[in-house]
Amino acid sequence: LAKTTQPISMDSYEGQEVNITCSHNNIATNDYITWYQQFPSQGPRFIIQGYKTKVTNEVASLFIPADRKSSTLSLPRVSLSDTAVYYCLVGDGRYNFNKFYFGSGTKLNVKP
Amino acid sequence: GAGVSQSPSNKVTEKGKDVELRCDPISGHTALYWYRQSLGQGLEFLIYFQGNSAPDKSGLPSDRFSAERTGGSVSTLTIQRTQQEDSAVYLCASSHPPGLAGGPPVVQYFGAGTRLSVL
């Protein structure tokens, strides 16, 4: 399973755009990049997933450069409720039983 | 139910006792996963079920840990002779079966977890 590296923590203010970058130098050809969000006392929740270039949904955008060795989760205009831990996962569901290495994630603290 | 349900939400036990944690997955999800999360840490994979079988038990930390799933639905994680280092939040997730050829990983849906405290 490809290992990922992300910042341990980040601070931001309400209304700002937040970009969290994840490094995955050993990503394999069949691997996808998936981000989950975890609030205190809750299980993680799926945010976004992509393979290459750019993916956007109602919550976030995911930017993946051509070499796929890193990816950036972009949260537009964050609010206090976006304070959470964000996990970057890399894996191929088919060949790894959808088993992911969650790591420690990035703790995002949004301030008023 | 609408989501993954875990019970109990909190469990306090004495060292050496056995505990059972229950997970009720989303209806129709054939895949089920157990994870462990220690305070302030990431998730540690424990075991994966597809239907009633467990093709991947690689994450179980010792032979005191076991899990079963019956009827392709409810799963029970059992910890025998609990130790203080077993104290953690135990999370369960379910999903549709992993992996169409060349397709993306399926989304896992998590319960709120069971917080286990071993005194």
Side-chain angles (χ1 to χ4, degrees):
Chain A
L1 295 172
K3 193 77 174 288
T4 60
T5 303
Q6 19 177 159
I8 295 174
S9 64
M10 293 180 69
D11 289 333
S12 183
Y13 291 93
E14 282 192 292
Q16 289 187 333
E17 178 184 78
V18 171
N19 295 308
I20 305 175
T21 297
C22 179
S23 297
H24 28 80
N25 291 319
N26 296 323
I27 190 168
T29 302
N30 293 326
D31 286 343
Y32 282 71
I33 300 150
T34 310
W35 285 80
Y36 280 77
Q37 173 192 55
Q38 185 178 24
F39 297 114
S41 302
Q42 294 186 27
R45 182 180 73 135
F46 171 86
I47 303 176
I48 197 166
Q49 183 178 80
Y51 184 81
K52 62 180 180 180
T53 63
K54 177 184 175 182
V55 179
T56 297
N57 62 21
E58 64 278 6
V59 176
S61 295
L62 178 60
F63 298 92
I64 306 168
D67 67 4
R68 303 199 329 120
K69 293 184 182 300
S70 67
S71 58
T72 299
L73 174 73
S74 182
L75 304 172
R77 298 179 298 282
V78 294
S79 64
L80 295 176
S81 63
D82 292 316
T83 293
V85 177
Y86 293 81
Y87 296 96
C88 166
L89 314 174
V90 172
D92 174 347
R94 182 184 186 194
Y95 296 106
N96 292 293
F97 302 113
N98 218 43
K99 181 175 78 175
F100 290 113
Y101 172 75
F102 267 80
S104 298
T106 297
K107 187 172 183 179
L108 173 65
N109 183 30
V110 180
K111 305 174 183 178
Chain B
V4 176
S5 177
Q6 293 188 245
S7 61
S9 53
N10 284 284
K11 177 71 176 179
V12 180
T13 191
E14 294 179 350
K15 178 182 173 181
K17 300 282 190 182
D18 297 352
V19 295
E20 282 190 354
L21 312 180
R22 176 188 168 109
C23 174
D24 218 322
I26 292 172
S27 177
H29 280 185
T30 59
L32 186 146
Y33 317 78
W34 284 97
Y35 293 86
R36 179 170 70 174
Q37 186 171 34
S38 300
L39 187 63
Q41 303 298 311
L43 280 70
E44 174 189 4
F45 170 82
L46 297 179
I47 188 169
Y48 156 76
F49 285 94
Q50 178 54 42
N52 290 337
S53 65
D56 191 345
K57 305 179 183 179
S58 61
L60 294 178
S62 76
D63 59 8
R64 296 186 295 105
F65 288 72
S66 63
E68 65 175 13
R69 189 178 185 197
T70 55
S73 182
V74 172
S75 176
T76 302
L77 177 69
T78 301
I79 309 173
Q80 296 178 311
R81 305 182 301 282
T82 53
Q83 304 295 313
Q84 288 183 333
E85 60 264 27
D86 299 334
S87 296
V89 175
Y90 290 82
L91 289 158
C92 173
S94 71
S95 77
H96 291 297
L100 295 174
V106 291
V107 174
Q108 296 186 31
Y109 295 85
F110 285 80
T114 294
R115 182 175 299 278
L116 175 65
S117 299
V118 182
L119 304 180

